[in-house]
Amino acid sequence: MADNASAALLTSNSEGAGEFGNVVNVVQAGADPTGEEPINPVLEEVRADDTLLFFPEGRYRMNTTFRYTGFTNFGIRGPRATIVPASADEWVGEDERCFLLGVYYSPGQRILVQGLDFDYSAPNTGVRAVEAYASDRLFVRGVEITGEHDTLMDAGGTFNVTDPSGVGVVDGFSVPDGTAALVDEGGRIQYGRSGITVNRYHSGSIWFRNCVIKSCWDNGLYATDSNGFVSIQGGLYQNNNVSNLRLGGVDSVIQSPRVVVDRVRFNDLNQRGIRIEQGARVLVNGAKIELPNPNGHAITVENPVTSATITNANIDIGSSPVQNSQGIVVSGDTGPVRIVGGTINISGPDIGGNAISIGSGQSTEPVIVENVQITGDRGGEPGGREAIRCGRNNCTFRSLQIRQPGPAYRQGLTLTGDNCKVVYSNIQATHYPLINTGSGTRVLNSVLDSYDGYPAARLYSSSSDVEFVGSTLAHGIQDDGATDLRLVANGFPST
């Protein structure tokens, strides 16, 4: 074996070595490219710092983890090379990874993984393909896992940049066949098998580009526990349970992904589109979310989030087995949230669900909804009667366009919080365009009209200090006992 390893040590210009001083052709070093004999002994012998392991085209069997830590520069490249892990019954050791490159307490400085396929098509097969911890640079490109991961072992890929000044790129990581929902020895469904994870040891900056993650049982891309920067750019995330994209961090970004839920397995509990779980100044821009068969909300902003912005989302929600699948849901105790631009089409008669839901809580930070269009024939029963429901104080709706023609019962905007504003908006619905129970509401230069001839607004007795200025209020106002109502320069057409 030593002679083979020596013969395989090539110059830095061979096999596309790039920035590596040495390249090892693993086949020349003795690795079996037919998938019959495990290659782990060869990998252990030839690994070295400042070295690239080159895998020629072939199939390479692994039956235990290849672990290498504390190095300066190490890479694996294998265009058209396929890694075939042993089944769970044959896997050796408790470490559930094919490649473990660095660990949090002894990361590699620079890591490259490029051009590997992993074949999980055999029954009872699946371990985590790659887990990498780099302090300086991490580059992963063109890695694909084919075949459903149907074991209780860790899944997908885990990628972390451990130093705050370090950077990483994961480009084209693909898990098209997902992970099965399995039960453990106690009969409980086993969580923890996501397509991509970023864990609490990530402190630097990492970009995920054009990744494809489908049908994973526990999140598609899961990146919420770290203090580092995460950017998700493009890609397809489809039918993943819990969340297709789950993000946190500071200044983290989701840019132009496509998220689809069109298949609900019997044990998929909640297939949210995008879940912003924590962090500050999180941005979601240009997301295209298609939920023809939704099982969860399109976008959620949860209470630990101190600030977030959602811009130019294009959300299409169809008939749903879950009555209250909604478009954008903002929890009641988040920091300020802005929803700017984009469209929400929410369809399916006689099925509830809001296009936008802003919860009530202790937060007094504003939610601003601006230049958003809401369309579709979504019905009102058995829940989600309004296109938008707002329970928070100090919210503003500017240049809002709502068209909810029914035919089922449907309201436009319900305000239960105080000191909210509706400005330059056009709201049309089958039932009341506006329902108000709070105080300090201002409706300025807006058009409110009911397709079915209901009054433009209904004010409950709890309403106080409500003002309509310069607005078109078709069929008038239904005043059920509001106090201090002011009407200035409005029009009241009857048809």
Side-chain angles (χ1 to χ4, degrees):
M1 184 72 68
D3 289 341
N4 287 335
S6 298
L9 200 59
L10 309 178
T11 66
S12 62
N13 292 322
S14 301
E15 307 288 6
E19 297 181 358
F20 296 90
N22 304 300
V23 172
V24 174
N25 182 315
V26 298
V27 173
Q28 292 181 13
D32 176 15
T34 70
E36 296 295 327
E37 296 295 326
I39 65 171
N40 294 85
V42 175
L43 301 184
E44 294 293 337
E45 182 167 352
V46 301
R47 74 179 192 184
D49 206 348
D50 197 22
T51 296
L52 175 71
L53 300 187
F54 172 71
F55 286 70
E57 182 174 358
R59 293 174 65 82
Y60 300 88
R61 179 175 172 81
M62 296 183 71
N63 66 349
T64 191
T65 299
F66 172 74
R67 185 179 190 271
Y68 189 28
T69 67
F71 51 83
T72 300
N73 191 28
F74 183 75
I76 299 171
R77 177 177 287 146
R80 299 175 297 280
T82 300
I83 305 298
V84 185
S87 70
D89 295 333
E90 300 173 310
W91 192 258
V92 178
E94 297 182 355
D95 210 345
E96 301 172 358
R97 295 126 177 89
C98 282
F99 296 97
L100 177 58
L101 306 178
V103 290
Y104 73 91
Y105 54 87
S106 183
Q109 185 173 340
R110 297 188 297 276
I111 298 173
L112 167 72
V113 180
Q114 186 172 7
L116 292 180
D117 293 336
F118 291 78
D119 183 359
Y120 292 2
S121 58
N124 195 29
T125 298
V127 295
R128 180 162 292 156
V130 180
E131 183 163 337
Y133 298 79
S135 61
D136 182 16
R137 284 183 292 169
L138 171 65
F139 184 65
V140 179
R141 184 175 184 180
V143 174
E144 181 169 359
I145 300 170
T146 58
E148 185 180 53
H149 178 120
D150 62 352
T151 75
L152 292 175
M153 295 181 175
D154 292 339
T158 295
F159 307 103
N160 299 284
V161 179
T162 60
D163 192 278
S165 62
V167 296
V169 175
V170 178
D171 189 354
F173 189 89
S174 181
V175 186
D177 300 312
T179 62
L182 302 175
V183 296
D184 61 19
E185 293 178 355
R188 298 176 297 272
I189 291 179
Q190 182 73 16
Y191 291 88
R193 287 167 300 123
S194 302
I196 294 174
T197 53
V198 177
N199 65 34
R200 62 193 178 96
Y201 302 110
H202 172 65
S203 298
S205 300
I206 191 166
W207 285 259
F208 293 95
R209 297 175 177 167
N210 305 313
C211 297
V212 176
I213 310 294
K214 298 182 181 180
S215 300
C216 289
W217 171 248
D218 188 8
N219 296 282
L221 194 160
Y222 189 173
T224 65
D225 294 334
S226 76
N227 293 316
F229 168 81
V230 177
S231 178
I232 301 167
Q233 300 178 337
L236 172 62
Y237 301 87
Q238 186 168 0
N239 296 327
N240 297 290
N241 191 48
V242 182
S243 302
N244 282 274
L245 289 169
R246 186 169 175 177
L247 183 66
V250 177
D251 296 317
S252 292
V253 175
I254 298 176
Q255 173 72 42
S256 302
R258 183 183 177 206
V259 178
V260 179
V261 175
D262 57 8
R263 181 172 73 102
V264 180
R265 297 174 290 188
F266 76 95
N267 44 21
D268 284 322
L269 304 179
N270 189 354
Q271 295 168 289
R272 280 167 287 203
I274 296 174
R275 178 178 177 182
I276 308 174
E277 186 167 317
Q278 54 88 12
R281 301 183 299 278
V282 179
L283 171 65
V284 178
N285 180 56
K288 184 177 184 180
I289 303 177
E290 305 163 38
L291 308 180
N293 195 27
N295 179 22
H297 308 318
I299 300 176
T300 60
V301 185
E302 300 192 349
N303 284 326
V305 177
T306 59
S307 59
T309 301
I310 301 166
T311 58
N312 301 315
N314 188 339
I315 299 171
D316 194 351
I317 303 177
S319 297
S320 170
V322 179
Q323 67 178 29
N324 273 329
S325 292
Q326 301 180 62
I328 299 175
V329 177
V330 181
S331 299
D333 291 319
T334 71
V337 175
R338 298 184 71 231
I339 304 169
V340 182
T343 62
I344 303 174
N345 183 72
I346 184 163
S347 301
D350 301 320
I351 297 175
N354 309 116
I356 298 175
S357 178
I358 303 168
S360 59
Q362 300 302 311
S363 177
T364 59
E365 297 287 352
V367 175
I368 297 173
V369 180
E370 185 172 9
N371 292 319
V372 174
Q373 297 185 36
I374 298 172
T375 61
D377 60 356
R378 175 57 61 102
E381 299 294 351
R385 296 177 178 177
E386 311 89 355
I388 299 178
R389 183 174 184 86
C390 176
R392 186 185 294 200
N393 300 339
N394 306 316
C395 295
T396 297
F397 301 87
R398 182 181 295 109
S399 299
L400 176 68
Q401 304 289 325
I402 297 178
R403 300 284 189 276
Q404 296 270 263
Y409 175 92
R410 188 68 161 168
Q411 296 161 355
L413 170 62
T414 293
L415 300 174
T416 63
D418 297 334
N419 302 315
C420 293
K421 297 180 179 64
V422 181
V423 184
Y424 295 114
S425 294
N426 192 317
I427 302 175
Q428 294 179 278
T430 51
H431 207 239
Y432 296 105
L434 175 68
I435 289 180
N436 187 81
T437 64
S439 64
T441 300
R442 301 289 183 265
V443 179
L444 310 174
N445 301 108
S446 296
V447 176
L448 281 59
D449 192 3
S450 165
Y451 292 104
D452 290 350
Y454 286 87
R458 182 176 183 181
L459 309 179
Y460 281 80
S461 59
S462 59
S463 301
S464 63
D465 185 23
V466 177
E467 186 174 65
F468 293 83
V469 177
S471 297
T472 299
L473 307 173
H475 315 292
I477 291 176
Q478 182 175 326
D479 183 358
D480 292 340
T483 59
D484 194 13
L485 170 62
R486 297 182 299 281
L487 303 174
V488 180
N490 301 291
F492 299 93
S494 60
T495 59

